[in-house]
Amino acid sequence: MNPVLNLPVAKELSGGQPYMSESSVPSADTRTLIILAFSATAGVLVEFYDFAIFGFAVASAFPAIFFPKLPPTQALVFSYLAYAAGHPARLLGAFIFGHFGDRSGRKFAFLINIVVVGASTCLTGLLPGYATIGIAAPILLVLLRIIQGIGVGGEFGGATSLLAEFGAKRRSRAFWMSLANLGLALGIMAASGMFLLLRKSFATTGWRVAMLFSAIIVIPALVALYKLADSPLFEQLKHREQLARLPSFDVFRKHAGSIFLLATVAAFQNLDTVVTGAFIVSFMHLAGIPLATAAIIIFLSRFADVTGVLLSGPLADIFKRRRLAYFAIGATLLVSYPFALAIVGRHVVLVAILMCLIVLFGMGLLHGLVPIITSETFPTRFRYSGTGISYGLSGILAGMIAPPLLARLIGQDVAHHWHYLPLAYAVYGAAAMLALLFIRETRDIKLEDLDTSET
């Protein structure tokens, strides 16, 4: 028997309606959680591999291929605007898949969004450039980016909800919940490795190879996810017919404040993700650091991201969630200034060290922490939509705004305008720290109690 499907037999109400009492909700065994973590990680890995490859292509290939008639700075800005289009699309995807995830089940929504991401990325890899089809090329590029973003928008809520609800009664539940974003870290690492492997041809044809490769890695992810079942907490609400009718909209009526506060905190993590995963390519190039060297530094820093995710869960089980978030944000702010200076000074070894630190704190620790604090904020009937919408909104606040704005402010003159980079970290960091003041500590909260307070 598939351990993920090994749920208790439901009792019946006097009217014949099955339900599971709160005490009957099982605690998943370790083998079940390992299978679940692998499946969720595989799905998220595929989606963020695709999303990151697009970011690398934006910084190195797309200005010349899709915007060749524009001056260099404008071409780069328009490329980042195409990249930015994926972030409001992620919010739309969070609404769409949040509805189906909280109504039809986590598994169904999770499978569909992976198919959407894989298909749109492959089509982008086959898309002709401006020289072949003219203005239709950048238009189709943006359209495919929007479709890709819609698919990616559903992954966070799905992975987070499944791991939170299956691990709800585990003493180390923060560790299991943190793994919701391990696939994100591994996906960006895989994309960085592909970028490094194809660095000599990436700006011409290599990016197409990297995008088409997603068609291969999406298959095992779909097979793994197909074996998943919905969580006991979700099944309990489903049997009691207590699911929200329009969860993606209803969640705003009851939890609008939490959504915006959590999005502000996650926006800082998203800022660090888009800066160190995409914008830094052009920033290093304009500072005089060769593309091959930048690719190696980015790839090495991905190990820091994975390390941070793996540390975040155990640390969150020991320390308070908010205290760990304050530390991660503060440490990132301290590193951002010397990091930008080291790039301008072309101190390659120092750049590599500081890049690993800024990714460890700003991405890794927060990558693991954001699924924990979001999933512990929303009840089961809104968990998929609430967590997904919060994270999708954070993408707009950071991923949509920061890269094109930084490209415009810094332009081609990195030597004189480099200070805008740490300034962006300071603005987003201050906002995140302020938002944390109004978010309740969730370490000692039981997920079942969140459901009780909703009824």
Side-chain angles (χ1 to χ4, degrees):
M1 178 181 292
N2 186 341
V4 179
L5 300 175
N6 188 18
L7 303 178
V9 177
K11 300 177 182 179
E12 289 190 358
L13 293 166
S14 57
Q17 176 63 41
Y19 79 102
M20 283 185 285
S21 67
E22 199 170 281
S23 60
S24 71
V25 176
S27 175
D29 59 34
T30 301
R31 182 167 178 263
T32 297
L33 281 168
I34 290 174
I35 294 172
L36 177 64
F38 172 79
S39 301
T41 297
V44 178
L45 186 155
V46 170
E47 297 189 26
F48 275 89
Y49 167 85
D50 293 348
F51 212 67
I53 283 294
F54 195 102
F56 289 137
V58 161
S60 60
F62 287 178
I65 294 174
F66 291 101
F67 306 98
K69 301 294 185 180
L70 297 176
T73 297
Q74 290 185 25
L76 185 62
V77 169
F78 273 85
S79 291
Y80 279 121
L81 286 173
Y83 176 81
H87 290 280
R90 283 172 63 176
L91 182 58
L92 177 60
F95 268 92
I96 295 171
F97 289 105
H99 173 82
F100 289 109
D102 281 331
R103 286 290 303 171
S104 303
R106 283 70 165 109
K107 171 185 173 180
F108 170 75
F110 208 7
L111 282 169
I112 297 301
N113 67 54
I114 288 180
V115 173
V116 170
V117 174
S120 61
T121 303
C122 288
L123 289 174
T124 302
L126 296 171
L127 183 64
Y130 186 93
T132 304
I133 59 175
I135 192 65
I139 292 174
L140 290 173
L141 177 70
V142 173
L143 179 61
L144 288 171
R145 175 62 170 177
I146 290 172
I147 295 173
Q148 184 194 56
I150 290 173
V152 171
E155 64 76 27
F156 184 80
T160 297
S161 298
L162 284 165
L163 286 166
E165 291 163 10
F166 272 102
K169 291 192 173 182
R170 296 297 292 255
R171 181 178 300 176
S172 57
R173 75 177 186 191
F175 167 73
W176 295 105
M177 285 188 285
S178 70
L179 298 182
N181 262 349
L182 180 60
L184 194 160
L186 291 174
I188 297 177
M189 175 184 281
S192 301
M194 186 63 73
F195 180 50
L196 176 61
L197 183 66
L198 300 172
R199 63 188 183 278
K200 293 183 179 179
S201 63
F202 195 88
T204 52
T205 59
W207 65 274
R208 296 185 183 276
V209 175
M211 287 187 173
L212 293 173
F213 183 72
S214 67
I216 298 175
I217 62 176
V218 76
I219 296 174
L222 288 173
V223 172
L225 286 169
Y226 184 74
K227 297 180 180 295
L228 290 178
D230 281 309
S231 73
L233 285 175
F234 177 80
E235 289 295 328
Q236 177 183 4
L237 290 187
K238 187 175 181 180
H239 285 302
R240 289 181 173 178
E241 298 184 351
Q242 292 178 336
L243 301 178
R245 191 171 67 89
L246 294 171
S248 291
F249 293 95
D250 292 343
V251 69
F252 274 99
R253 291 194 296 107
K254 295 190 175 184
H255 302 281
S258 295
I259 287 173
F260 286 105
L261 289 171
L262 291 168
T264 303
V265 174
F268 182 81
Q269 175 246 292
N270 263 295
L271 171 75
D272 199 38
T273 300
V274 296
V275 166
T276 61
F279 179 75
I280 210 67
V281 175
S282 57
F283 189 83
M284 287 186 182
H285 173 70
L286 293 171
I289 296 177
L291 183 62
T293 303
I296 293 172
I297 293 172
I298 292 171
F299 177 71
L300 291 175
S301 70
R302 300 309 109 180
F303 288 96
D305 189 7
V306 174
T307 301
V309 173
L310 294 175
L311 287 174
S312 64
L315 289 174
D317 278 321
I318 298 172
F319 303 104
K320 292 183 177 181
R321 279 53 160 150
R322 292 199 310 168
R323 186 173 298 173
L324 183 59
Y326 277 122
F327 169 77
I329 295 169
T332 306
L333 292 179
L334 290 175
V335 175
S336 64
Y337 188 87
F339 174 59
L341 269 180
I343 293 174
V344 174
R346 296 195 292 276
H347 304 298
V348 174
V349 175
L350 184 59
V351 169
I353 294 171
L354 293 175
M355 177 86 156
C356 287
L357 289 176
I358 204 169
V359 168
L360 173 68
F361 299 128
M363 285 180 64
L365 287 178
L366 288 176
H367 268 160
L369 192 58
V370 168
I372 297 170
I373 60 176
T374 52
S375 60
E376 292 177 340
T377 297
F378 300 102
T380 303
R381 66 202 301 251
F382 295 129
R383 186 163 290 118
Y384 199 124
S385 52
T387 55
I389 290 171
S390 299
Y391 203 64
L393 181 58
S394 75
I396 291 181
L397 296 175
M400 175 181 163
I401 296 173
L405 181 61
L406 285 171
R408 179 68 184 88
L409 291 173
I410 295 174
Q412 304 289 303
D413 191 3
V414 170
H416 293 95
H417 298 150
W418 61 270
H419 58 274
Y420 285 113
L421 188 63
L423 180 61
Y425 275 95
V427 171
Y428 279 87
M433 287 184 170
L434 182 62
L436 279 170
L437 290 174
F438 300 96
I439 294 174
R440 64 176 173 175
E441 177 58 46
T442 59
R443 186 179 63 174
D444 299 321
I445 289 175
K446 295 181 179 179
L447 299 190
E448 297 95 326
D449 292 343
L450 293 175
D451 295 339
T452 303
S453 65
E454 283 284 309
T455 57

